[in-house]
């Protein structure tokens, strides 16, 4: 089993290039199936979630040609199957975006029902409500979601989401772009990747206005055509490296980013005492002196992202004073704090939504396990700041969303390696 081994204590210094956004790419790939013509997508991150989704669309008949590590050509003309295997949905929830795109193009789709996951129950009632409003019949049978446009083609409608959901917003956009007539989505998610999806679809001939605002208006079109599109930079990967700078007392420039997407993260870094300089497409974080405590609550965009909550908590373990972190999106996202406490942190979770953190002078290296993607990244950040060696197990979760995480950290001076055996760990400890 692959592990990361880290020798902590080195302030990170230098610059790092940020990849394309995983969560945007997960929506753009199903969107490419809305046309028979070829769609070329660049700046795809080489992470396992994306590679699994590409396998999933190939399995239903799409042609997937790798142009290079970060660029793919997708041809949807050959899609021959409208049912997506459970194996894919089990590995990545976002394969349920194929419901929206297959339903939108063919008037029919079947995808396994995604289960809950470690961070929460994650129901899909808003997706279903949206599909039904567009004139689809939705059946939940034997763990499958089967959906059919009752009149052959979906019909535009007015949809109000009861909760702000990134996934439901994306699925309904995918279904509605080729519906007959107009669709209005109220209370949609405003995340940058929702806007990215609308931009790519518009470049394919769709008519979507208002993505990124409180109301999205879609004028259904009869067909979409080919495009070449570049994925936006990954807000969460960038934020993770920004907090890596903070927690190690470093000086890091994250490059190839959109600073506007990072504003909530930047503002919290300033609160805890870091200096943050914004340039056109890069952001520099300098941490001098001890970090300061703060309060933070996760919220839908433009609020502080839930996907940055564990990394922020890791940094606050070393901030002077009492901090509180409130999780308002997922009901079970503090499990990893037990692992941080094993490294010497003082975190108390109250109920399931608030962590109270008493800053400590230092963390100590320990053997810990990544429970999920972002918590895994947070444990690596803690290891980079801790005294001694930290071993992080289950890095398959980290590989879901970070391309070459350890390589990029090494480029910033971190002492971290990916190992597969005890001998490799011993060798690293002798050399580090
Ligand atoms: C997406 C992101 C994930 C991020 C999350 C919140 C992708 C692939 N994943 O997940 O990384 O953590 O947004 O920013 O982009 N909900 C309902 N009913 C629904 C749908 C959602 O009650 O039908 C609830 C969820 O349980 C959760 C909240 O709404 O409490 C937000 O979830 P949602 O925005 O849908 O998250 P995902 O799209 O799954």
């Amino acid at each position: 089993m692959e592990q990361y081994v880290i020798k902590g204590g080195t302030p990170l210094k230098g610059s790092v290039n940020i990849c394309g956004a995983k969560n945007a790419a997960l929506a753009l790939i199903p969107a490419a199936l809305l046309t028979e013509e070829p769609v070329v997508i660049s700046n795809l991150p080489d992470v396992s979630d994306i590679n699994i989704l590409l396998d999933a669309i190939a399995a239903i008949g799409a042609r997937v040609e790798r142009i290079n590590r970060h660029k793919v050509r997708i041809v949807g003309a050959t899609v021959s199957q409208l049912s997506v295997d459970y194996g894919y949905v089990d590995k990545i929830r976002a394969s349920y975006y194929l419901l929206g795109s297959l339903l939108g193009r063919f008037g029919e789709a079947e995808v396994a029902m995604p289960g809950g996951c470690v961070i929460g129950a994650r129901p899909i009632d808003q997706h279903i409500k949206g599909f039904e409003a567009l004139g689809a019949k939705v059946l939940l049978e034997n763990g499958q979601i089967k959906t059919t446009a009752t009149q052959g083609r979906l019909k535009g409608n007015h949809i109000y989401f009861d909760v702000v959901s990134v996934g439901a917003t994306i699925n309904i956009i995918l279904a509605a772009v080729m519906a007959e007539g107009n669709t209005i989505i109220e209370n949609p998610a405003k995340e940058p990747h929702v806007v990215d999806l609308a931009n790519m679809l518009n470049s394919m001939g769709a008519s979507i206005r208002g993505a990124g605002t409180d109301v999205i208006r879609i004028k259904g079109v009869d067909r979409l055509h080919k495009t070449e599109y570049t994925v936006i930079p990954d807000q969460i990967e960038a934020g993770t490296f920004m907090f890596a700078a903070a927690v190690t007392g470093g000086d890091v420039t994250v490059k190839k980013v959109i600073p506007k997407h990072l504003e909530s993260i930047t503002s919290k870094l300033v609160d805890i005492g870091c200096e943050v300089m914004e340039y056109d497409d890069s952001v520099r974080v300098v941490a001098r002196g001890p970090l300061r405590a703060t309060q933070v609550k996760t919220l839908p965009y433009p609020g502080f992202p839930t996907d940055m909550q564990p990394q922020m908590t890791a940094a606050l373990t070393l901030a002077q004073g009492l901090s509180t972190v409130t999780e308002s999106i997922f009901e079970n996202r503090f499990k990893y704090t037990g692992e941080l406490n094993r490294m010497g942190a003082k975190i108390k979770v109250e109920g399931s939504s608030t962590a109270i953190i008493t800053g400590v002078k230092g963390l100590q290296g320990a053997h810990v396990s990544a429970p999920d993607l972002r918590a895994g990244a947070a444990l690596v950040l803690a290891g980079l700041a801790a005294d001694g060696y930290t071993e992080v197990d289950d890095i398959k979760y980290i590989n879901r969303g970070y391309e070459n995480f350890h390589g990029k950290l090494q480029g910033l001076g971190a002492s971290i390696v990916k190992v597969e055996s005890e001998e490799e760990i011993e060798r690293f400890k002798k050399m580090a």
Side-chain angles (χ1 to χ4, degrees):
M1 195 176 65
E2 284 183 337
Q3 278 182 316
Y4 281 146
V5 187
I6 303 156
K7 183 172 185 235
T10 312
L12 299 189
K13 288 208 157 54
S15 62
V16 58
N17 286 332
I18 298 306
C19 288
K22 169 186 80 88
N23 285 349
L26 287 173
L28 302 185
I29 292 167
L33 301 187
L34 283 164
T35 173
E36 294 191 347
E37 296 182 14
V39 170
V40 176
I41 306 178
S42 310
N43 203 29
L44 278 182
D46 183 8
V47 295
S48 65
D49 269 16
I50 297 304
N51 296 327
I52 293 166
L53 185 59
L54 290 172
D55 287 348
I57 66 162
I60 59 169
R63 228 167 49 228
V64 176
E65 294 162 25
R66 287 275 185 184
I67 298 169
N68 61 42
R69 185 176 181 192
H70 297 121
K71 190 169 180 179
V72 74
R73 184 169 182 268
I74 296 169
V75 187
T78 48
V79 171
S80 55
Q81 207 185 305
L82 304 181
S83 159
V84 181
D85 203 68
Y86 171 72
Y88 296 110
V89 183
D90 186 39
K91 289 195 192 101
I92 39 160
R93 287 181 65 77
S95 38
Y96 63 18
Y97 291 155
L98 292 170
L99 272 176
S101 68
L102 295 178
L103 179 65
R105 177 161 155 216
F106 299 101
E108 206 182 310
E110 181 174 343
V111 173
M113 178 93 179
C117 70
V118 286
I119 60 174
R122 303 179 90 170
I124 56 159
D125 54 300
Q126 299 302 307
H127 302 237
I128 294 172
K129 172 180 166 173
F131 291 145
E132 285 177 342
L134 295 173
K137 199 163 100 199
V138 182
L139 281 178
L140 306 179
E141 258 179 13
N142 306 324
Q144 298 284 114
I145 312 165
K146 287 186 195 173
T147 166
T148 318
T150 47
Q151 296 179 23
R153 184 178 175 190
L154 296 174
K155 272 208 156 50
N157 203 346
H158 198 132
I159 298 163
Y160 179 89
F161 284 132
D162 306 308
V163 291
V164 177
S165 161
V166 172
T169 304
I170 286 174
N171 240 337
I172 300 314
I173 292 175
L174 289 167
V177 287
M178 291 208 293
E180 197 185 322
N182 298 338
T183 296
I184 297 176
I185 307 176
E186 290 200 64
N187 200 26
K190 295 183 265 194
E191 266 66 5
H193 41 295
V194 171
V195 179
D196 209 33
L197 172 67
N199 286 342
M200 179 170 118
L201 286 168
N202 284 341
S203 77
M204 294 166 71
S207 171
I208 306 171
R209 285 183 301 129
T213 74
D214 290 322
V215 185
I216 298 177
R217 292 169 205 278
I218 302 171
K219 217 186 265 173
V221 295
D222 290 337
R223 60 180 295 279
L224 295 174
H225 54 70
K226 67 182 172 185
T227 193
E228 293 209 9
Y229 196 77
T230 302
V231 184
I232 49 163
D234 198 306
Q235 175 204 23
I236 306 300
E237 189 199 9
T240 302
F241 281 99
M242 290 163 78
F243 270 94
V247 77
T248 60
D251 178 350
V252 171
T253 303
V254 295
K255 289 187 164 170
K256 296 195 180 175
V257 297
I258 298 175
K260 174 136 191 53
H261 295 169
L262 303 171
E263 273 170 3
S264 64
I265 297 165
T266 297
S267 133
K268 278 294 143 194
L269 284 163
V270 171
D271 275 1
I272 63 173
C274 297
E275 218 181 303
V276 184
M277 287 143 272
E278 286 185 10
Y279 305 98
D280 286 348
D281 61 356
S282 63
V283 172
R284 179 175 167 200
V285 179
V286 184
R288 289 195 191 95
L291 300 178
R292 290 195 300 260
T294 191
Q295 273 75 49
V296 63
K297 181 175 182 181
T298 63
L299 287 168
Y301 189 84
F304 190 85
T306 174
D307 286 354
M308 283 302 302
Q309 181 259 95
Q311 302 89 312
M312 170 98 197
T313 300
L316 291 178
T317 62
L318 291 169
Q320 286 182 341
L322 202 67
S323 297
T324 56
V325 177
T326 305
E327 172 59 54
S328 81
I329 310 290
F330 293 113
E331 64 275 21
N332 201 9
R333 209 168 189 175
F334 281 123
K335 273 199 187 150
Y336 67 92
T337 54
E339 295 296 76
L340 287 177
N341 285 344
R342 293 182 50 240
M343 298 177 73
K346 275 200 184 152
I347 307 170
K348 210 169 104 209
V349 179
E350 286 201 343
S352 59
S353 64
T354 305
I356 298 172
I357 305 153
T358 309
V360 292
K361 287 238 152 50
L363 297 173
Q364 296 92 48
H367 192 151
V368 292
S369 282
D372 65 69
L373 166 59
R374 304 304 172 186
L379 292 173
V380 171
L381 298 200
L384 293 170
D387 281 340
Y389 295 97
T390 297
E391 290 171 39
V392 183
D393 287 355
D394 285 335
I395 62 170
K396 60 176 188 288
Y397 292 115
I398 299 174
N399 297 335
R400 285 186 42 204
Y402 293 91
E403 179 181 315
N404 189 24
F405 195 38
H406 64 291
K408 289 187 178 184
L409 289 167
Q410 284 166 356
L412 296 170
S415 189
I416 175 171
V417 284
K418 185 157 82 174
V419 298
E420 281 185 56
S421 67
E422 282 297 323
E423 294 80 67
E424 282 179 283
I425 298 175
E426 288 316 312
R427 209 175 312 138
F428 170 69
K429 285 185 177 174
K430 271 192 198 124
M431 304 216 339

